[in-house]
Amino acid sequence: MSRLITEMLKEEMKKVLAVDFPGVVEEKEISIESTRDRNHGDFATNLAFILSRKVKKSPRELATKLQASLAQNLGNFARVEVAGGGFVNFFLQDEVLLSFISEVVEEGEDFGAVDLGKGKKTQVEFVSVNPTGPLHVGHGKCAAFGDSLSRILKKAGFQVEKEYYVNDAGRQIDLLGASLEARFRQILGEKAEIPEDGYQGDYLISMAEKLLQEKGREILDLPPAERLKVFRTFAVQEILNDIRQDLDDFRVHFDVWFRESSLYQKGEVEEILSLLKERGYTYTKGSALWLRTTDWGDDKDRVLVRENGLPTYFASDIAYHWNKWKRGFQLVIDIWGADHHGYIPRMYAAMQALGLPQDFLEMFIVQFVTLLRGGQPERMSTRQGEFVPLRQLLDEVGADVARYYFLMRDPATHLEFDIEEAKKQSMDNPVYYVQYAHARVSSLFKEAEKRGFTPLSQIGAWSDFPSEEEREIVKKIAYFPETVKRSALLRQPYLICNYLQDLCGDFHSFYNLYRIIDENNPELTSFRLNLCRVVQIVLKNAFQLLGISAPDNM
RNA sequence: GCGCCCGUAGCUCAAUCGGAUAGAGCGACGGCCUCCGGAGCCGUAGGCUGGAGGUUCAAAUCCUCUCGGGCGCGCCA
C-alpha cells in the first residue's frame, strides 16, 4: 500500500484536536487539500474556520493555536504556517518528498495501490447490450467506463468482478429469431417477410447463410417451438461472438457472462415474485401483478406480470439483482445508457422492497456520444453518433485513442468526439501528449545507457531539490495514490486523465528547461534519471488504470 | 406537464465533492532545436462562471426562482 500524505497530516491533526479541542469536531469534518498557490504551502486545512463556528472564537486565533501544536508534532515532516483569515498551511520538508522517489522505485507497478475498498466483494455490470446487433459507439463509452472503473476499484482495494448480462429472453429475442428465419427462407427462395418491428439489418443474411451451411434446410421441418429456438439460439450466439470480439479488441474482458434465460430455467423469476408477494408489496389489478414502487418514491407503480401471464423485464431484472445478492456481493455497480435513467427509481424501489442495504446497488448513467468529423456531426442528427458501430471507430482511431476520449470526461455529461481531431498526432490529441511523455523517457534511457549512465544508480545524497520544477514533479508523484483513492471513491476515471495531463505538463516543461544527461555532473544526472524513471513508473501505472498502452516509441 | 443530466474564455473542458488571484488545450498572435525525441516548450490576448435573489468568514460549487440545451416518462428491453 502506498503512503497517503493527506492521511498522515490528518492523523497528526486528530492527535492535536484530541488534546486542544476534545470532542469538538468529527473526523469527517477534517479536510486537507492541496493548494493552488505555492505561497500557501503544499497542503492546507480550513479547520480553524470549522472550529470557529463551534467554539465562537476568531478563525485566526484558532489557527494560531493549531499551528503551535501542529508545528511541535510535525517537526521534520512539514513546516506549519497561519495565513489569510485562518488557513493553516503545510510546507512539506524536502526529505519527505525525496523519500517518495525510492519508494516508487521499490513499489513499482504496485505504487498507487490504496486500501479504500478493504477487500469488499464488488461487481461491476456494464455494456449488457441486447444480443440483437453489433456494439455502437455509445456502448463503447459504457465499456470504457465500466472497465476502467473496475481497474481503479481493484487498485483501491476492492475485490472486483466484471459481468455482462445477456438479455437472451423475451420478445426482442423472439423477434430476432423470427427475423433470421425469414432471411433463411428467403435464401431458399421462399417469399418470407421479416416481421413487423423485426430486425432488418443485412448481417442477418450472412448469418442465415452460415446457418444453412451448418445445419441444412432440414431445421425447417422441426416443430414450430423447437424451430424458433434453433434460430433464436443461433442468432444470439453469433451476435454474442461478434460483441465479444469487438470488446476483446477494445481490451475489455468480462469475468462472467450471465444469461437472463438462466433465471427462468432455474425458477428464479418465480421465486422473486413469491418473495415480493410474501413481503406484501404487490397487488393485482386487472389480471396483472404490480409492485408498489411508489412506496419508495417512484412516479407510479410498475407491472411485474402482464395480463398475458408473462413476467416483465423488470421482474427478471429484480430476480437478477437478487441473484447478485445471493452470490455474496456487498456492492453492485450497474452502468446503463442514458435511455435507462427513468429506470433508476423503480430499481431502487425494488431493492428496498427486498430489504437490501441502501448502499448495495449503485446505478450510473452514461450520457450519449456525439461523433463529429472536422467539427461537423458525423451523420444528419446528433443522435446518429450512437449508431456508428464501435468497430468502425476502432478501425479509424485505435483502442488507445477511443478509450482515452471516452474516459477523459465525466460519463454523465454529453461527449463530443471529433474523429478528425482524434486522428491528429499533436497536442490536439491528449492521448499522444501523455503517451509521448512515456516514450520520451524510454528513449532518454537508451541515450543514457549509450553514454554509460544507468537509471538504477543511487539517487545520491540529495537533501533538497536541484530545482523548483523537480520538487513540483515529485510532489505530483507523491499525490498519485491520493488520486487513485479519490477516483475510486467518486467512481470517476476521468480524474486519472486530469492527473496525467497535469503530470505530463510538468514533465514536458522540465524536460525542455533542463538537460538531463550531463557528463560533467554524474551526480545530478543520476538524480534526474531517477526522477524520470519514477515519472515513467507512475505514467505506466496510470495508463494501466485507463487500459491504454505505454509505448516505448511512437 | 413531471423527472434526471448539463450551461464556465470564440471552441472542447478543468477547478481536489464550500476555500485564498477561476485554470489547461485547441483556435489567433509572437518566440525556442549546432545539444537527451519540436508528437515538445515559453509568452501575449481572451471571463460579471446563462440571469436574479438567498445562505456565511468564504459560492462556479449549496437553496429558491427564471432562461436555454440534452435525455427519459410502455403490461418494450
Side-chain angles (χ1 to χ4, degrees), chain A residues 18 86 482:
Chain A
E482 323 261 349

Side-chain angles (χ1 to χ4, degrees), chain A residues 212-425:
Chain A
L212 181 61
Q213 281 213 327
E214 284 183 21
K215 305 244 171 160
R217 58 186 306 154
E218 294 76 40
I219 52 176
L220 290 177
D221 302 331
L222 293 167
E226 223 174 296
R227 192 180 68 225
L228 188 58
K229 193 181 168 193
V230 169
F231 284 108
R232 214 171 44 204
T233 312
F234 190 79
V236 166
Q237 202 49 53
E238 286 294 306
I239 291 173
L240 226 41
N241 285 343
D242 287 346
I243 288 176
R244 207 187 292 248
Q245 185 62 53
D246 285 355
L247 288 170
D248 217 46
D249 294 344
F250 200 43
R251 297 190 208 117
V252 175
H253 309 284
F254 286 91
D255 300 305
V256 176
W257 294 72
F258 190 98
R259 287 180 179 255
E260 182 187 5
S261 55
S262 76
L263 293 169
Y264 286 98
Q265 281 157 15
K266 294 179 185 161
E268 293 186 44
V269 179
E270 283 307 313
E271 186 192 312
I272 207 71
L273 291 173
S274 344
L275 187 59
L276 288 169
K277 275 186 223 164
E278 246 170 62
R279 295 180 71 93
Y281 298 124
T282 61
Y283 61 91
T284 308
K285 195 170 81 182
S287 50
L289 183 71
W290 294 70
L291 181 66
R292 247 190 1 255
T293 53
T294 45
D295 284 8
W296 294 278
D298 197 5
D299 309 342
K300 52 186 189 178
D301 294 339
R302 306 291 170 176
V303 174
L304 290 169
V305 181
R306 306 179 184 109
E307 293 198 338
N308 64 13
L310 294 174
T312 58
Y313 176 80
F314 181 44
S316 67
D317 210 18
I318 299 173
Y320 176 43
H321 283 82
W322 183 243
N323 177 288
K324 294 183 186 195
W325 171 253
K326 286 191 296 187
R327 275 189 273 163
F329 291 111
Q330 298 164 281
L331 171 64
V332 162
I333 295 176
D334 287 1
I335 296 164
W336 297 331
D339 49 340
H340 281 64
H341 84 242
Y343 198 72
I344 291 178
R346 84 186 67 166
M347 206 55 218
Y348 180 74
M351 296 300 101
Q352 299 296 300
L354 291 171
L356 297 177
Q358 297 258 1
D359 56 0
F360 170 66
L361 177 62
E362 290 180 20
M363 294 167 274
F364 289 90
I365 289 302
V366 175
Q367 289 292 341
F368 290 116
V369 179
T370 305
L371 274 189
L372 302 174
R373 197 176 282 278
Q376 295 303 310
E378 170 72 353
R379 298 276 171 87
M380 294 305 285
S381 92
T382 49
R383 280 287 309 275
Q384 286 292 331
E386 286 298 303
F387 303 117
V388 173
L390 176 61
R391 166 67 49 194
Q392 186 188 319
L393 186 69
L394 285 180
D395 289 345
E396 271 202 73
V397 304
D400 279 350
V401 170
R403 287 188 70 122
Y404 198 91
Y405 266 78
F406 287 140
L407 292 172
M408 64 193 277
R409 308 274 179 244
D410 179 349
T413 63
H414 298 262
L415 175 71
E416 302 217 353
F417 191 142
D418 195 313
I419 298 178
E420 285 309 314
E421 186 184 287
K423 281 162 86 173
K424 284 190 207 162
Q425 302 192 342

Side-chain angles (χ1 to χ4, degrees), chain A residues 147-155 251 544-545 547:
Chain A
D147 185 59
S148 179
L149 179 60
S150 300
R151 292 162 183 254
I152 290 164
L153 290 174
K154 260 181 215 171
K155 190 90 177 175
R251 297 190 208 117
Q544 193 275 329
L545 294 177

